[in-house]
Amino acid sequence: MKNPKRKTRFFDEPEDSKAQVNFGRALKHLMVFQMKLAADAFRDLVMSPLSVLVFFVDWIRKPAVEDSFYVRLMVLGRKSDRYINLFDQYQNKGHFTMDEAIETVGRLAAEASRHLDDEEEKEASKKR
């Protein structure tokens, strides 16, 4: 029987593993977490005054529930919560998350860097 693995962004090791925290992986995890905290804080700063505004708009309009701006804002808040995925609670649940976006940007940046290095190497070899 295989050792069950714990699946988190920080570790992917068997439960009985004696693996230690790797500085590079820990630093990457810290940086991603800080970016997610910033996104969460920005969302809160935007949604707080917006929620008051849409509350009063709905109070004046008296719409049906499905037409309520306040309810729509709450749905948007839930969607943004899944996207930000602050504590990895939506990992591997079929939602596109900020983690995936960050990994994609990192992969693209690495590929672009390799491409530039290859181009510079070709130019240098032509000059010889």
Side-chain angles (χ1 to χ4, degrees):
M1 184 179 204
K2 288 184 178 180
N3 288 338
K5 287 190 172 187
R6 285 179 263 180
K7 290 285 194 177
T8 66
R9 289 263 170 227
F10 202 64
F11 292 109
D12 186 9
E13 304 292 335
E15 286 190 29
D16 61 352
S17 173
K18 303 291 185 219
Q20 294 182 320
V21 174
N22 172 293
F23 177 78
R25 286 172 65 191
L27 181 61
K28 179 183 173 188
H29 185 269
L30 174 65
M31 297 305 293
V32 168
F33 185 62
Q34 293 301 313
M35 289 172 26
K36 289 161 73 172
L37 281 171
D40 189 57
F42 178 74
R43 184 218 28 212
D44 291 347
L45 284 172
V46 169
M47 288 189 72
S48 182
L50 199 54
S51 67
V52 173
L53 176 68
V54 297
F55 169 80
F56 284 114
V57 169
D58 277 358
W59 180 51
I60 294 166
R61 290 178 53 234
K62 297 180 184 14
V65 172
E66 62 269 5
D67 294 329
S68 167
F69 291 142
Y70 188 81
V71 171
R72 289 180 187 178
L73 184 65
M74 296 302 106
V75 170
L76 178 64
R78 278 189 229 114
K79 286 180 181 179
S80 66
D81 196 45
R82 283 191 300 267
Y83 175 75
I84 294 169
N85 193 27
L86 188 59
F87 297 106
D88 295 337
Q89 68 270 36
Y90 299 107
Q91 181 179 347
N92 302 323
K93 299 232 174 34
H95 303 288
F96 182 73
T97 65
M98 193 170 169
D99 300 289
E100 294 169 31
I102 291 168
E103 286 178 21
T104 300
V105 168
R107 226 179 358 265
L108 291 172
E111 288 172 10
S113 177
R114 277 193 300 274
H115 179 72
L116 286 174
D117 289 346
D118 291 345
E119 292 296 318
E120 288 175 1
E121 193 174 299
K122 285 178 186 177
E123 289 295 320
S125 67
K126 284 181 183 176
K127 291 180 181 178
R128 291 183 208 165

